[in-house]
Amino acid sequence: MKRGEKQNTQAATGDQSIRAPHGIRELAAELGISIGTISRAMNGRPNVNPATKARVLEAAERLGYRPQQSGLSLRTGTTRTIGLLWEIPFGRENYGDAFFLSLFIGVQAQLFERGYDLTILFDRPSSGGLAEPPLGRLKDAIQRRQVDAFIIPWTRVTDARLAYCAKQAVPFTALGRSRSGGNHPWIDLDFEGAIYKATRRLLGFGHRHIGLILVSSALMQNQFIIAGYKKALAEDSTALDDKLIVQCEAIPQGGIQATDKLLGLRARPSAFIVIDSAVIVGVYVRLAELGLRCGQDISVIGGVQDNPIPEFLSPPLTCFGLDTIALGKRLAEVALFALDKDETEAERPVVAELWPLKLIARGSDGSIQ
Amino acid sequence: MKRGEKQNTQAATGDQSIRAPHGIRELAAELGISIGTISRAMNGRPNVNPATKARVLEAAERLGYRPQQSGLSLRTGTTRTIGLLWEIPFGRENYGDAFFLSLFIGVQAQLFERGYDLTILFDRPSSGGLAEPPLGRLKDAIQRRQVDAFIIPWTRVTDARLAYCAKQAVPFTALGRSRSGGNHPWIDLDFEGAIYKATRRLLGFGHRHIGLILVSSALMQNQFIIAGYKKALAEDSTALDDKLIVQCEAIPQGGIQATDKLLGLRARPSAFIVIDSAVIVGVYVRLAELGLRCGQDISVIGGVQDNPIPEFLSPPLTCFGLDTIALGKRLAEVALFALDKDETEAERPVVAELWPLKLIARGSDGSIQ
DNA sequence: CTGAAAGCGCTTACAG
DNA sequence: CTGAAAGCGCTTACAG
């Protein structure tokens, strides 16, 4: 028998033999008080007799009563749920994305702290690949009022998701900057600074030709990555060779192709900087196949990795680290700013935070041979 | 301004300047028909004038109307959402669990196909570590009626989650067997067969001392793993040495400790079988630190891995593979069996499926030196 | 084929 | 401090 299946005009006679009270009505009957008082007691409203409140709380605990989400949401117009958009490029399904996984955990932990739930809204890239962010699940969730606010990662230079949220006046926080969405709260990782540091490091090792492997140029982060790369080259008075900047799909196979492309160049690079953590898998595999030893025959610096995988490789991968759990927690906190007005009524400035990335030197890069 | 914030007794006058209709009422007014007809048209009920239905559908599409989830859920007593429990052991937050990530994607894809949503219910282990599965989020979700059914992975020999669902008459599907939960639908991976094959393989290479690294013995899968291991040894007339079976925490650090423990044994093993994919990380790191080359100085077979990481290692890891996306899809399908009665009214037998695991031979194991 | 009405479970002004 | 009542947005028998 289906839960919640009741005839339209049927009295709540409890046609099942389930002991837990099915709603506030039964709890009220049990205690001989009105449902309004139950509600006030459970929500900590001030005007409730302490003794009554204690009785209600005890009974709710004993009988396992918690307000049903649908009734609560319908009445209050709020879901106490935050939606996190997550798109999975085709061919990346089996890649255990440590970054997003940690992010989920951080976001969820902080939301839980504040009595909110997290819903992950899975989407596939639209036909344009990474160029156009998928809009389906976002629209759906807004129209169906499934969540109170969104967290939107992997921002594009122009991003229809942010624009749509802004137009619909739905609160959202971006992980990454964008030209879209107006004056919205965002947190971003300092890719410019990170890639600047990586490039300087490799130049310092004597590398003159440094390959840069990017994923879709639609991603806003690419702007900053290229800026950091160019800045380092300019400061070192090293000429920029556009051919050394290549793009590939955000999957391991993309890394294989990008590696081949870079190694086929006349001005063959002696070092690679790889941003995406799925792409680095392909790069490592391909270099091993070709018998090129990382850290000796070729230097590799591999993107943002807050997980044990880099150490697990041989040689361990030099990469960028950050505390992804902390990032997730902060993201959740910022997402809630738009919802919980009770904190302080003072106008809060729109959050715009750049998180630094820390270079973690390991064995995959070094002096030119 | 908060969405859905309306005064209690206020008419729906649209105090915001949002163009999308906020509910069925506005759409009805727009079209000059009753809300009942809108609902029937949108839900494909038979008794609607085709012309009317077309007008409704067109207007809904044009104005971006979709029934609000809370109203729908409250009325029908169904959320069209499936909850997937996911527990993250402390210390495993940054480990990108490729298996679960793929599982999410598979489950979500199939649910989407059938008009259902997926909610991932994150939980932390209870104080007992993996011994006792966490019950908090499950209870909460049931009491608040957040989902229609559950998918419950990482089953324990006795599992309070399954027992609770059974007692509350909430549909659930287990990924893994258990003694709890009565005659429930389950899908399991054939760990017994897999470990049997792995052990036979290593015995065939001449290994006489094979270490087996497990995580918590509370996990049901351990029963089958040990059974497969013992069966292979018995068939080979190789004596069982209990000391070779060690347990560790389901984190990379656990793998380091287990490796040290096994290598410290008097009857030191020349081969390892490692089940958990987070543990294998630690094993590989520790062996590399000790200068032991996998596939030469020591053989390693590493659990279930449906991701590119094993190839990414040097040497590539011999392990077990399966199509995790397909598993997720099937799990979703089975979870829906209990809910969608419209398929066929014939009594369906309770699903009980054992999925085979395929040994993928790579370079991390081989003949004893 | 369509409309009017009931009611799912909750919270919150409003009386008392 | 408490109760009675309204109404959030929807679906579905029930009349017509």
Side-chain angles (χ1 to χ4, degrees):
Chain A
M1 189 131 10
K2 218 156 161 182
R3 272 197 309 151
E5 203 168 58
K6 271 185 198 167
Q7 279 312 310
N8 196 19
T9 315
Q10 183 196 333
T13 45
D15 58 332
Q16 311 283 336
S17 60
I18 296 173
R19 56 222 124 277
H22 260 28
I24 197 171
R25 211 121 238 153
E26 288 91 313
L27 189 61
E30 173 92 12
L31 292 171
I33 58 180
S34 75
I35 61 166
T37 301
I38 303 268
S39 176
R40 282 186 291 262
M42 297 217 41
N43 289 296
R45 291 281 171 280
N47 46 355
V48 182
N49 185 320
T52 310
K53 183 174 171 181
R55 280 183 64 214
V56 169
L57 262 33
E58 182 277 324
E61 174 65 28
R62 177 167 46 85
L63 300 169
Y65 171 75
R66 298 265 277 125
Q68 293 189 26
Q69 187 61 52
S70 57
L72 198 153
S73 288
L74 182 55
R75 186 58 182 81
T76 64
T78 176
T79 61
R80 294 193 78 82
T81 300
I82 303 297
L84 171 47
L85 302 181
W86 186 38
E87 62 190 282
I88 306 116
F90 293 99
R92 196 170 163 137
E93 299 87 353
N94 296 320
Y95 174 71
D97 199 319
F99 176 77
F100 273 97
L101 225 29
S102 296
L103 196 72
F104 296 164
I105 294 168
V107 169
Q108 134 73 29
Q110 184 64 22
L111 291 180
F112 183 77
E113 204 70 26
R114 307 280 244 89
Y116 274 77
D117 284 322
L118 169 65
T119 287
I120 293 164
L121 299 163
F122 297 73
D123 223 329
R124 267 13 237 294
S126 51
S127 52
L130 254 41
E132 288 293 331
L135 216 49
R137 298 301 306 271
L138 176 70
K139 274 191 176 167
D140 210 60
I142 290 177
Q143 291 175 355
R144 296 164 63 197
R145 301 281 188 283
Q146 284 193 120
V147 305
D148 295 338
F150 292 92
I151 295 173
I152 306 184
W154 256 20
T155 48
R156 313 302 203 277
V157 178
T158 65
D159 197 311
R161 301 170 301 173
L162 308 196
Y164 188 80
C165 283
K167 202 183 87 185
Q168 299 292 326
V170 178
F172 68 95
T173 300
L175 174 54
R177 282 160 282 183
S178 173
R179 295 208 188 110
S180 306
N183 186 29
H184 61 271
W186 58 260
I187 296 177
D188 203 355
L189 307 181
D190 183 16
F191 284 104
E192 179 166 0
I195 301 307
Y196 170 79
K197 273 188 283 185
T199 310
R200 295 285 318 199
R201 176 174 162 91
L202 292 170
L203 290 167
F205 281 139
H207 298 281
R208 301 268 66 91
H209 301 282
I210 301 169
L212 181 61
I213 302 180
L214 307 169
V215 291
S216 170
S217 61
L219 289 174
M220 188 69 185
Q221 63 181 40
N222 276 13
Q223 312 275 316
F224 299 107
I225 289 165
I226 292 172
Y229 178 76
K230 287 187 175 172
K231 187 178 164 211
L233 291 181
E235 283 186 13
D236 192 71
S237 304
T238 299
L240 173 70
D241 179 356
D242 280 331
K243 291 203 188 63
L244 288 171
I245 304 179
V246 300
Q247 259 178 241
C248 70
E249 279 192 89
I251 55 177
Q253 185 60 32
I256 292 176
Q257 289 164 359
T259 300
D260 286 342
K261 196 166 167 186
L262 283 171
L263 293 178
L265 251 33
R266 197 142 43 95
R268 176 175 163 146
S270 59
F272 288 7
I273 297 173
V274 186
I275 309 307
D276 185 84
S277 61
V279 170
I280 187 72
V281 175
V283 171
Y284 243 72
V285 168
R286 187 69 182 128
L287 291 175
E289 281 174 4
L290 296 171
L292 292 169
R293 292 159 303 169
C294 291
Q296 297 179 37
D297 307 320
I298 193 154
S299 282
V300 176
I301 296 183
V304 178
Q305 306 261 2
D306 175 31
N307 62 64
I309 299 296
E311 282 186 75
F312 180 46
L313 303 174
S314 36
L317 178 67
T318 294
C319 62
F320 290 94
L322 88 158
D323 185 343
T324 316
I325 303 281
L327 175 66
K329 286 183 177 174
R330 178 66 181 153
L331 220 33
E333 204 169 289
V334 173
L336 293 178
F337 282 166
L339 304 177
D340 278 15
K341 301 296 191 193
D342 46 42
E343 296 278 298
T344 159
E345 285 307 318
E347 205 54 54
R348 210 193 312 257
V350 172
V351 170
E353 280 176 18
L354 203 53
W355 283 45
L357 293 166
K358 186 170 82 257
L359 182 79
I360 302 168
R362 296 199 182 87
S364 66
D365 65 339
S367 292
I368 196 162
Q369 303 289 301
Chain B
M1 190 139 359
K2 216 157 163 182
R3 271 195 310 149
E5 205 167 58
K6 271 183 196 167
Q7 279 313 309
N8 194 20
T9 315
Q10 184 197 331
T13 44
D15 58 332
Q16 310 285 334
S17 59
I18 296 174
R19 56 221 123 279
H22 260 27
I24 198 171
R25 211 121 237 153
E26 287 92 313
L27 189 61
E30 174 91 12
L31 291 171
I33 58 180
S34 76
I35 60 167
T37 301
I38 304 266
S39 175
R40 281 186 292 264
M42 297 216 43
N43 289 296
R45 291 280 171 282
N47 47 354
V48 183
N49 186 319
T52 309
K53 182 175 172 180
R55 281 183 63 214
V56 170
L57 261 34
E58 182 280 324
E61 175 63 29
R62 178 167 44 85
L63 300 169
Y65 170 75
R66 301 263 277 126
Q68 294 189 26
Q69 187 61 52
S70 57
L72 198 153
S73 288
L74 182 54
R75 186 57 182 82
T76 64
T78 176
T79 60
R80 295 194 77 82
T81 301
I82 303 298
L84 171 46
L85 301 182
W86 186 38
E87 60 189 284
I88 306 115
F90 294 99
R92 196 170 164 137
E93 298 86 355
N94 296 319
Y95 172 72
D97 198 320
F99 176 77
F100 273 97
L101 226 28
S102 296
L103 197 72
F104 296 165
I105 293 169
V107 169
Q108 134 72 29
Q110 184 64 23
L111 292 180
F112 183 76
E113 203 71 27
R114 310 279 245 88
Y116 274 77
D117 285 321
L118 170 65
T119 287
I120 294 163
L121 299 163
F122 298 73
D123 223 329
R124 267 13 237 292
S126 50
S127 52
L130 253 41
E132 287 294 329
L135 216 49
R137 298 301 307 271
L138 176 71
K139 274 191 176 170
D140 210 60
I142 289 177
Q143 293 176 354
R144 295 165 64 197
R145 301 282 187 283
Q146 284 192 119
V147 304
D148 296 337
F150 292 91
I151 295 173
I152 307 183
W154 257 20
T155 49
R156 312 303 203 276
V157 177
T158 64
D159 197 310
R161 301 170 302 171
L162 308 195
Y164 188 80
C165 283
K167 201 183 88 184
Q168 300 292 325
V170 177
F172 69 95
T173 300
L175 175 54
R177 282 160 281 182
S178 174
R179 296 209 188 111
S180 306
N183 186 29
H184 61 272
W186 57 261
I187 296 179
D188 203 354
L189 307 181
D190 183 16
F191 284 104
E192 178 167 359
I195 300 308
Y196 171 77
K197 274 188 283 187
T199 310
R200 295 287 318 201
R201 177 176 162 89
L202 292 170
L203 290 167
F205 281 139
H207 297 281
R208 303 269 63 93
H209 301 282
I210 302 169
L212 181 61
I213 302 180
L214 306 170
V215 292
S216 170
S217 60
L219 289 174
M220 188 69 185
Q221 62 181 41
N222 277 12
Q223 312 277 317
F224 298 108
I225 289 165
I226 292 172
Y229 177 76
K230 287 187 176 173
K231 187 178 161 210
L233 291 182
E235 283 187 13
D236 192 72
S237 303
T238 299
L240 172 72
D241 179 357
D242 280 331
K243 291 204 188 64
L244 288 171
I245 304 179
V246 300
Q247 258 176 242
C248 69
E249 278 192 90
I251 56 176
Q253 186 59 33
I256 292 176
Q257 289 164 357
T259 301
D260 285 342
K261 195 165 167 186
L262 283 172
L263 293 178
L265 251 33
R266 198 142 42 93
R268 177 175 161 147
S270 59
F272 288 7
I273 297 174
V274 186
I275 309 307
D276 185 84
S277 61
V279 170
I280 187 73
V281 174
V283 172
Y284 244 72
V285 167
R286 187 67 182 132
L287 292 176
E289 281 174 4
L290 296 172
L292 292 170
R293 293 159 301 168
C294 292
Q296 296 178 38
D297 306 319
I298 194 154
S299 282
V300 176
I301 296 183
V304 178
Q305 304 262 3
D306 176 30
N307 63 62
I309 299 296
E311 283 185 76
F312 182 46
L313 303 174
S314 36
L317 178 67
T318 295
C319 62
F320 290 93
L322 89 160
D323 185 343
T324 316
I325 303 282
L327 175 66
K329 287 184 177 174
R330 178 65 182 154
L331 221 31
E333 206 169 288
V334 173
L336 292 178
F337 281 166
L339 304 177
D340 279 14
K341 300 297 189 191
D342 46 43
E343 296 277 295
T344 159
E345 287 304 321
E347 204 52 56
R348 212 191 312 258
V350 172
V351 170
E353 280 175 19
L354 202 54
W355 282 45
L357 294 166
K358 187 169 81 258
L359 181 80
I360 301 169
R362 295 199 182 87
S364 66
D365 65 339
S367 293
I368 195 163
Q369 305 287 301

